[in-house]
Amino acid sequence: MGNLAGLLGASAYCAGLLWVSLWVRHLGLSLWVGVGVAALGVMGAAALAALVLPVRWYKGPTAAQWGVAGAIALLAILNYGLRYPTPGVLDISHLLTQGNAAGAQQIVWGQVQEMPRLARSGRGQFWLKVDQVRWLDAQNNPLSAPSLRQGRLYVTLPADQIEELFPGQRVQLQGKLYAPSPAKNPNAFDFRRYLASQRCFAGFIGETIIPEKGQSPPRWALWRLRQRIARAHEARLGIPAGPLVSAMALGRQAVTVPYDIQDAFMHAGMAHTLAASGFQVSLVLGMVLAIMGHRAIASQLPYPVTTKVAVGGTALVVFVLLTGVQPSVMRAAVMGAAVLVGIALERSIKPLGCLLLAVTLLLLFNPTWIDDIGFQLSVMATLGLMVAVTPITEKLEWLPTMLAAVAAVPLAAYLWTIPLSLYYFNTLTTYSILLNIVTTPLVMVLSLGGMASGLAAAVWPALGSLIAWPLWLPTHLLIALVRWEVSLPGSALATGHISLGQMYVLYGLYCLWGWGQQIWKPAGRRGIVALLIGLVALGPLLYQGATRSQVTVLAASQDAVMVVQEGRTSLVVNSGTDRTAFYTVVPFLRQAGINRLASAIYGDDSDSENWRTIAAKTPIRNLYGPSSALTAVPAGGQVHVLNPDQVQPVDRQRVQYLQDAEAGLRLTLLGNHTWLLLPRLSADRQMPWIQAHPGLQSEVLWWHGEALSEAAIAALAPKVAIASGPTIDPDTEARLQQQGIEVFCTERDGAITWTRRQGYRAYLTARQRPTAGFD
């Protein structure tokens, strides 16, 4: 009964956190409203369980135990609310609400918290713990004396200004505070949520930095040890092999891996090899226990078991300190510590109970880790290894025993992380299981070699570099295999976005598949559960893909970018510029489950580099555009010239290319809905351009937010106006609204979507509704 009570208590704590996270994180309720709703639900469920279950489940928990479980779940909910990241009273982010009173620029003083690194933009980035701030006017004159502030800032600077910075250093920065942007498109990166998860609520674009005088790096520090190891690897192996080996030994949080390598490993389904996780922890602990348990060593020790446990524990502590306190590392370390306790007590450890204990302890330490994607993937992959490896190995009995065991491990982890991948990443890596099987020996050699050379480099860098030198060939072989896999057709399958409800149902069916043989017989009914899993995962996605009729204007800074979906035929209008394809278009296509574009239109808000980025992930069958723009286009599809003023069919849509010095587009979409993409024109040029192309009245006016003349609005007579830009001219917006025209601005309202059932919807408005989490 004691084991049952412990299991019930730990499960209640985790369930309470999942329940409150559902209301706050996924359904969008404010923190304490969500906490209140979750608390009421838990109390009701506990009371119902205490009244009903003991009568029907004689060997189960008593009414009192159900009541205690409810109290534990309630404490978990309160712990979540108290520990949830929110800005303090003196947090520097509150200056963002003061508008012009906060000054044109600011000077902030504070302490560098982590080693600076290069961001994707090429600028330097680091975290700053703030203690003072001063406001400046447009001429850099002080508006006030320095005032006390608290909180963290996400700071970016020119890359050459971060070279001499180090953690703990006090600095003075001049630049501009800004509010982090939320996700404005489906499946886009939510920068505001990411910073909040790091307990940071404002960003800072730095122009100059002045370190305080008289400071020098400490002689001994963990960051210096990491830097020493990374430099030793890089000195002998070069880039990218050196940083890759360092990451495989210490995790990519401890070293900067080139972004092209990170992207390749992520797209190949090998990202876990770059993250310090259970794999590295098991290697460290396994090697230590094997060495200390060797007969030649153990026979020389007076207390071999105690020594083995002490050395294993020391190795775990050192590894955690070097990699940093990351959720996945901590989960593996706690489970490793449980193994050591079992060895010390000479008792076997129940893997599932050990996992539940580790998860509960970590969530007691930091309840908001329940929302961490890396933590969720780590837990589910570990659970999959515990539950599914044996059944999968039995099914692979036709293979050689060793090969079956090697194949079962990545297959089990892959299957148990599929629901999370579908929900968060909307992608399945089709060849990753085979790649993981083939590269397992390489990953083990590189991880162990990186750790051994890193240990040597910590004492003597030259020796560490020498030990790392034999890793050059396997490292480059691994990189070549990953890049080859990514280059294969269909290496990543865009599946579309499943709902939160689907993900929970899938994991419920997974548990039924894993433990169902204890409930029913014959065990062959597992096949029915497997069929249900496939139907729940793919059925709604296939149905939506076949029946969807939707037009989406993406929030793409100042670029006008559109995606039209009609059944399984998709059209993209404009690729965007300045990496819009990478950050906006490709993620949207992935969440929509689009793996091939039937057509694309190369308009003015496009460039060849962005079209190549799109085509690399989503091949384009037909590309349309003016002849001048089609000279450098992605290979693989057919090219069609758009002739000025002619209405041309593009799959099921119709396009009229309008050119009179400036080029525009008139689109007839999904039957008879007319859109006019107006080029960037000054107010005095608008009417001559419109008069040069008679018959431009359209249901939707799509432009870039500049001022529109009254005559132009009257001539076009739109019912809806959508501005692809950061702002709309205030007088123009007021004029449009006075005439009853519905007005949207993509950078203010997010992506604008039209469907036959719901009409026009702004993404930032729609996602604030409680039901958005299940959409």
Side-chain angles (χ1 to χ4, degrees):
M1 186 59 74
N3 290 338
L4 180 60
L7 176 64
L8 183 62
S11 301
Y13 184 83
C14 296
L17 291 180
L18 283 171
W19 180 239
V20 69
S21 173
L22 170 68
W23 292 101
V24 175
R25 184 82 170 186
H26 297 284
L27 300 186
L29 296 187
S30 62
L31 176 60
W32 288 107
V33 171
V35 167
V37 171
L40 290 174
V42 159
M43 289 187 290
L48 184 63
L51 290 173
V52 175
L53 291 181
V55 178
R56 299 179 177 272
W57 186 10
Y58 301 109
K59 295 183 180 181
T62 63
Q65 288 175 330
W66 284 115
V68 171
I72 292 173
L74 184 61
L75 288 175
I77 291 169
L78 293 176
N79 192 22
Y80 183 91
L82 292 172
R83 303 283 298 280
Y84 195 81
T86 54
V89 176
L90 292 178
D91 195 273
I92 193 169
S93 62
H94 292 304
L95 295 180
L96 297 169
T97 63
Q98 298 181 13
N100 294 332
Q105 283 196 331
Q106 296 82 28
I107 295 177
V108 295
W109 289 264
Q111 189 178 65
V112 178
Q113 288 193 295
E114 297 178 6
M115 277 300 295
R117 59 179 61 206
L118 285 178
R120 282 187 184 271
S121 62
R123 288 174 62 86
Q125 181 272 318
F126 64 91
W127 298 97
L128 184 75
K129 183 180 179 182
V130 178
D131 49 46
Q132 291 187 84
V133 64
R134 168 181 274 180
W135 295 263
L136 303 177
D137 62 17
Q139 287 73 43
N140 290 335
N141 298 313
L143 294 174
S144 65
S147 61
L148 294 177
R149 288 286 168 176
Q150 297 175 348
R152 301 181 82 197
L153 281 179
Y154 178 91
V155 178
T156 56
L157 275 171
D160 59 346
Q161 297 192 40
I162 67 167
E163 294 176 356
E164 302 300 324
L165 298 181
F166 57 87
Q169 187 177 24
R170 286 194 54 79
V171 296
Q172 172 188 314
L173 281 159
Q174 180 173 333
K176 179 69 176 175
L177 278 172
Y178 66 91
S181 174
K184 297 177 181 178
N185 298 290
N187 202 38
F189 177 61
D190 195 328
F191 188 48
R192 178 183 296 176
R193 178 171 284 186
Y194 166 71
L195 291 192
S197 71
Q198 305 298 313
R199 300 190 180 275
C200 173
F201 306 94
F204 191 84
I205 301 175
E207 295 180 358
T208 59
I209 184 169
I210 304 175
E212 287 191 5
K213 296 181 179 179
Q215 300 180 93
S216 59
R219 186 172 181 181
W220 297 103
L222 286 173
W223 66 265
R224 296 206 70 167
L225 190 57
R226 297 184 194 114
Q227 191 178 65
R228 191 172 188 171
I229 293 171
R231 286 177 175 174
H233 287 154
E234 187 177 322
R236 183 64 65 170
L237 300 176
I239 297 176
L244 177 60
V245 170
S246 299
M248 295 180 73
L250 302 176
R252 66 171 178 263
Q253 298 296 327
V255 64
T256 301
V257 181
Y259 285 107
D260 62 326
I261 296 295
Q262 291 189 43
D263 293 340
F265 274 70
M266 184 176 299
H267 294 152
M270 296 280 291
H272 60 280
T273 61
L274 304 183
S277 61
F279 181 76
Q280 283 85 348
V281 171
S282 62
L283 282 179
V284 170
L285 194 57
M287 287 298 297
V288 168
L289 294 181
I291 292 172
M292 299 305 298
H294 193 275
R295 183 179 302 175
I297 296 176
S299 61
Q300 302 298 318
L301 300 173
Y303 303 102
V305 174
T306 303
T307 305
K308 181 191 294 186
V309 171
V311 174
T314 303
L316 284 179
V317 171
V318 171
F319 185 76
V320 169
L321 290 175
L322 284 176
T323 57
V325 181
Q326 305 169 43
S328 58
V329 176
M330 294 300 295
R331 191 272 311 157
V334 171
M335 293 189 68
V339 170
L340 293 176
V341 170
I343 293 174
L345 298 178
E346 297 183 351
R347 296 180 60 181
S348 61
I349 298 296
K350 295 181 179 179
L352 290 175
C354 182
L355 176 61
L356 180 60
L357 176 63
V359 170
T360 304
L361 290 176
L362 292 176
L363 293 178
L364 279 168
F365 171 73
N366 188 346
T368 60
W369 277 351
I370 196 72
D371 299 321
D372 186 272
I373 300 173
F375 182 72
Q376 295 171 10
L377 288 170
S378 173
V379 171
M380 297 316 299
T382 305
L383 181 59
L385 295 178
M386 294 176 178
V387 172
V389 166
T390 300
I392 291 174
T393 304
E394 292 173 354
K395 294 294 183 183
L396 297 177
E397 60 182 6
W398 50 276
L399 290 174
T401 304
M402 181 61 69
L403 183 58
V406 170
V409 171
L411 183 57
Y414 179 81
L415 291 175
W416 274 77
T417 54
I418 281 177
L420 284 170
S421 298
L422 293 178
Y423 181 71
Y424 286 113
F425 308 120
N426 319 137
T427 304
L428 289 179
T429 50
T430 48
Y431 310 130
S432 64
I433 295 175
L434 290 175
L435 183 64
N436 274 276
I437 294 172
V438 171
T439 58
T440 293
L442 289 175
V443 172
M444 292 183 65
V445 168
L446 292 175
S447 297
L448 290 173
M451 293 173 190
S453 58
L455 185 63
V459 180
W460 186 11
L463 179 61
S465 292
L466 185 62
I467 295 174
W469 176 73
L471 301 178
W472 186 93
L473 181 60
T475 304
H476 283 274
L477 179 58
L478 178 63
I479 293 173
L481 286 171
V482 168
R483 286 177 169 165
W484 174 73
E485 191 270 354
V486 170
S487 69
L488 292 176
S491 61
L493 179 66
T495 59
H497 177 68
I498 68 170
S499 70
L500 190 66
Q502 278 176 272
M503 187 181 74
Y504 282 134
V505 171
L506 283 173
Y507 276 121
L509 291 172
Y510 273 38
C511 293
L512 195 60
W513 183 89
W515 290 282
Q517 71 273 19
Q518 300 175 13
I519 302 173
W520 62 57
K521 290 183 180 180
R525 293 184 182 177
R526 272 183 166 179
I528 299 176
V529 179
L531 178 61
L532 288 174
I533 288 173
L535 289 176
V536 171
L538 301 178
L541 295 176
L542 294 174
Y543 175 78
Q544 291 172 9
T547 60
R548 178 174 290 159
S549 293
Q550 177 175 296
V551 179
T552 305
V553 178
L554 299 177
S557 187
Q558 300 194 25
D559 294 328
V561 181
M562 173 190 287
V563 179
V564 182
Q565 299 165 258
E566 187 172 10
R568 302 199 181 280
T569 303
S570 301
L571 163 71
V572 171
V573 179
N574 290 324
S575 67
T577 59
D578 193 23
R579 303 213 75 188
T580 293
F582 180 85
Y583 288 110
T584 303
V585 182
V586 170
F588 178 84
L589 297 177
R590 190 163 58 237
Q591 69 83 36
I594 298 173
N595 290 288
R596 176 178 291 272
L597 288 172
S599 303
I601 297 177
Y602 193 135
D604 279 0
D605 290 345
S606 303
D607 62 38
S608 297
E609 180 181 350
N610 277 271
W611 278 122
R612 282 191 288 270
T613 299
I614 294 173
K617 302 298 179 186
T618 314
I620 302 170
R621 188 178 303 151
N622 297 288
L623 181 63
Y624 296 79
S627 56
S628 58
L630 298 178
T631 54
V633 296
Q638 296 183 359
V639 174
H640 307 270
V641 175
L642 290 177
N643 299 311
D645 296 321
Q646 292 185 10
V647 178
Q648 297 177 239
V650 176
D651 291 320
R652 303 176 187 178
Q653 324 307 328
R654 297 192 301 277
V655 178
Q656 184 179 6
Y657 178 62
L658 308 169
Q659 185 173 22
D660 182 25
E662 296 86 1
L665 289 171
R666 191 166 191 270
L667 309 168
T668 304
L669 307 175
L670 304 181
N672 56 358
H673 295 275
T674 53
W675 294 61
L676 175 66
L677 175 55
L678 195 67
R680 293 179 174 89
L681 298 167
S682 60
D684 59 333
R685 281 280 303 134
Q686 289 166 6
M687 278 310 297
W689 188 89
I690 292 171
Q691 291 170 350
H693 308 283
L696 292 185
Q697 293 84 358
S698 300
E699 178 183 339
V700 182
L701 170 61
W702 183 21
W703 90 118
H704 295 86
E706 66 271 13
L708 297 175
S709 65
E710 289 189 25
I713 296 173
L716 298 176
K719 297 178 181 178
V720 177
I722 299 175
S724 287
T727 58
I728 302 177
D729 174 71
D731 294 336
T732 298
E733 184 169 16
R735 192 177 298 122
L736 291 167
Q737 290 174 340
Q738 288 172 2
Q739 298 184 28
I741 299 171
E742 195 172 7
V743 182
F744 297 97
C745 177
T746 54
E747 289 302 297
R748 179 188 65 198
D749 304 321
I752 311 302
T753 300
W754 177 87
T755 60
R756 289 189 174 92
R757 185 166 60 92
Q758 297 176 317
Y760 296 91
R761 293 194 309 160
Y763 179 68
L764 291 181
T765 301
R767 73 195 294 252
Q768 291 173 1
R769 298 178 304 155
T771 56
F774 288 102
D775 285 350

